[in-house]
Amino acid sequence: MPPGIRDTSQTIQERIAATHVNSLDVDLDSMAAISNIFRVAVMFRNLSERRFLLKHNLTFSGFTVLWVLWVFGKMESYQLAEECGISKGTLTGIVSTLEKHGLIRRIRHPQDGRRKIVMATDRGETLMHRLFPKINRLEQEFVRGLEQTELSSLARMLRIILHSQDTP
Amino acid sequence: MPPGIRDTSQTIQERIAATHVNSLDVDLDSMAAISNIFRVAVMFRNLSERRFLLKHNLTFSGFTVLWVLWVFGKMESYQLAEECGISKGTLTGIVSTLEKHGLIRRIRHPQDGRRKIVMATDRGETLMHRLFPKINRLEQEFVRGLEQTELSSLARMLRIILHSQDTP
DNA sequence: ATAATATTGTTTGAGTCCTAACGAAATCAA
DNA sequence: TTGATTTCGTTAGGACTCAAACAATATTAT
């Protein structure tokens, strides 16, 4: 069985309530929500890699970078890293891997000698054109148990969570 | 600014709708939901590491393993890996790291010579007793923008998503 | 009892991930 | 016009991550 699939949050909640945290100021609902967010993310990442990505020498992170490039076209490195939610050091490694496989290109900035511009090659574009619908179909498969109103409600709540740290 | 913080899903949706995927069978709502789940996970992982974990030589993954051990007590490796949502190979590495820092112990199984049992040391227990409330407070901070009914609705929807792959 | 099969934890290799330090290039200061 | 500061991308080091191969042990079949 793939890792991270089972929903054991109920068990954990009972377990933890019965053992350590009765007295502490712990909120089990918040814990369950965040921990299930991680489970979904892990499950989606692993499943998409096994089904579609790894056979094309793509990791999920590599796919994300290529996807952002496919959507935005040319892009500067620091923007690309921010958009993908990774550090610039990590991006260097991923970009090198993708370049090695001929899926993207590095170009130097015409004015600024420090910056570099990254863009997909034709091979990268073609591959993304084939893979993106499959990934999206998996995304649809994941949320197929939700009504349309629930789905937009979920999206809205996730956006609220994302903004919870705007003014720490 | 930490990576993966900004919620750019709206921008991306417009962008993608305007460029590649008009004709394809693509559902932008599903895409936005899944992609924001990843953003929340990345944000939480990085923030908790920077604020609480790294100064104690703990990664988020190491914390998770130690936490499961703290909740369940002794545990066999293969169960532990499944509960943490990681592969057994990955678990070996994390357990070795935690053992190196004196936070957990490996014990061999009395009957079965293949299996091993993992448990937290006193140092591990003490550290977890101090850290867990802090992590939970961060979890509460993340969902503070949601009503109580919304929070349980979120947890319910995530559970539905987790079960979406039960019968593929 | 012996052989074939299955399971458990480890190792291996490629890749991702972070922070911190680094060199190169641009900008700012005086 | 030097010098200090800032801002890029890269590198270094340590850790996590997977799949696949592996050795040791246990189970099943004949």
Side-chain angles (χ1 to χ4, degrees):
Chain A
M1 193 209 289
I5 295 292
R6 278 180 44 236
D7 172 26
T8 52
S9 57
Q10 209 62 35
T11 319
I12 291 184
Q13 281 187 42
E14 294 166 6
R15 185 80 201 163
I16 203 171
T19 52
H20 296 90
V21 288
N22 303 42
S23 56
L24 303 173
D25 180 24
V26 166
D27 181 55
L28 295 177
D29 290 334
S30 312
M31 191 187 74
I34 298 294
S35 121
N36 274 346
I37 283 178
F38 274 93
R39 287 174 190 274
V40 171
V42 167
M43 185 167 80
F44 188 87
R45 173 183 286 259
N46 290 344
L47 213 48
S48 62
E49 283 186 348
R50 274 197 294 265
R51 277 202 201 161
F52 312 118
L53 268 25
L54 291 184
K55 68 183 70 158
H56 294 288
N57 285 316
L58 270 183
T59 61
F60 187 81
S61 306
F63 170 82
T64 302
V65 168
L66 194 54
W67 178 80
V68 170
L69 247 28
W70 184 63
V71 172
F72 285 90
K74 289 174 176 37
M75 211 167 180
E76 306 210 11
S77 291
Y78 70 97
Q79 282 181 298
L80 187 54
E82 191 188 346
E83 194 62 51
C84 295
I86 55 180
S87 70
K88 54 184 188 168
T90 301
L91 182 69
T92 298
I94 298 176
V95 164
S96 300
T97 302
L98 290 173
E99 198 176 36
K100 189 176 65 179
H101 291 112
L103 298 172
I104 65 173
R105 261 203 308 274
R106 273 185 249 236
I107 310 170
R108 55 182 164 67
H109 195 283
Q111 277 82 42
D112 195 328
R114 297 166 302 180
R115 305 192 221 173
K116 290 198 180 145
I117 296 169
V118 188
M119 62 179 293
T121 61
D122 287 347
R123 265 195 69 199
E125 297 254 3
T126 306
L127 180 59
M128 196 43 51
H129 191 75
R130 262 202 300 157
L131 283 180
F132 174 64
K134 298 191 183 186
I135 297 292
N136 184 251
R137 215 164 303 136
L138 184 60
E139 288 163 345
Q140 295 178 39
E141 196 182 311
F142 262 56
V143 299
R144 73 179 169 204
L146 304 179
E147 309 286 342
Q148 184 58 43
T149 56
E150 290 179 319
L151 183 56
S152 58
S153 165
L154 173 63
R156 184 185 55 84
M157 289 194 277
L158 290 170
R159 250 190 306 270
I160 291 175
I161 294 178
L162 282 171
H163 289 118
S164 70
Q165 301 298 317
D166 283 351
T167 52
Chain B
M1 194 208 289
I5 297 289
R6 279 179 44 235
D7 171 26
T8 51
S9 57
Q10 208 60 38
T11 321
I12 289 183
Q13 282 188 41
E14 295 167 4
R15 186 80 203 167
I16 203 172
T19 51
H20 295 89
V21 288
N22 304 42
S23 56
L24 304 174
D25 180 25
V26 166
D27 181 55
L28 296 177
D29 290 336
S30 312
M31 189 185 77
I34 299 293
S35 121
N36 274 345
I37 284 178
F38 273 93
R39 287 174 190 275
V40 171
V42 167
M43 187 168 79
F44 188 88
R45 173 183 286 260
N46 290 344
L47 214 46
S48 61
E49 283 187 346
R50 273 196 295 266
R51 277 201 202 164
F52 312 117
L53 268 24
L54 291 184
K55 69 183 67 157
H56 295 287
N57 285 316
L58 271 182
T59 62
F60 187 80
S61 306
F63 170 82
T64 302
V65 169
L66 195 54
W67 179 80
V68 170
L69 248 28
W70 185 63
V71 173
F72 285 92
K74 288 174 174 39
M75 212 167 180
E76 305 209 10
S77 290
Y78 70 99
Q79 283 181 297
L80 187 53
E82 192 188 346
E83 194 62 52
C84 295
I86 54 180
S87 70
K88 54 185 187 166
T90 301
L91 182 70
T92 297
I94 298 177
V95 165
S96 300
T97 303
L98 290 173
E99 200 175 35
K100 189 176 66 180
H101 291 110
L103 299 171
I104 65 174
R105 261 202 308 273
R106 271 185 254 235
I107 310 170
R108 56 181 162 67
H109 193 283
Q111 276 82 40
D112 195 328
R114 296 167 301 180
R115 306 192 219 171
K116 290 197 180 146
I117 295 168
V118 189
M119 63 178 295
T121 62
D122 288 346
R123 263 195 70 200
E125 296 255 4
T126 307
L127 180 59
M128 196 46 49
H129 191 76
R130 259 202 300 157
L131 283 180
F132 175 65
K134 297 191 184 187
I135 297 293
N136 183 252
R137 215 164 303 138
L138 184 61
E139 288 164 345
Q140 296 179 40
E141 194 181 312
F142 262 55
V143 300
R144 72 180 170 203
L146 304 179
E147 309 286 341
Q148 184 59 41
T149 57
E150 289 180 319
L151 183 54
S152 57
S153 165
L154 173 64
R156 184 185 55 85
M157 290 194 277
L158 290 170
R159 249 189 308 268
I160 292 175
I161 295 178
L162 282 171
H163 290 320
S164 70
Q165 300 298 313
D166 283 350
T167 53

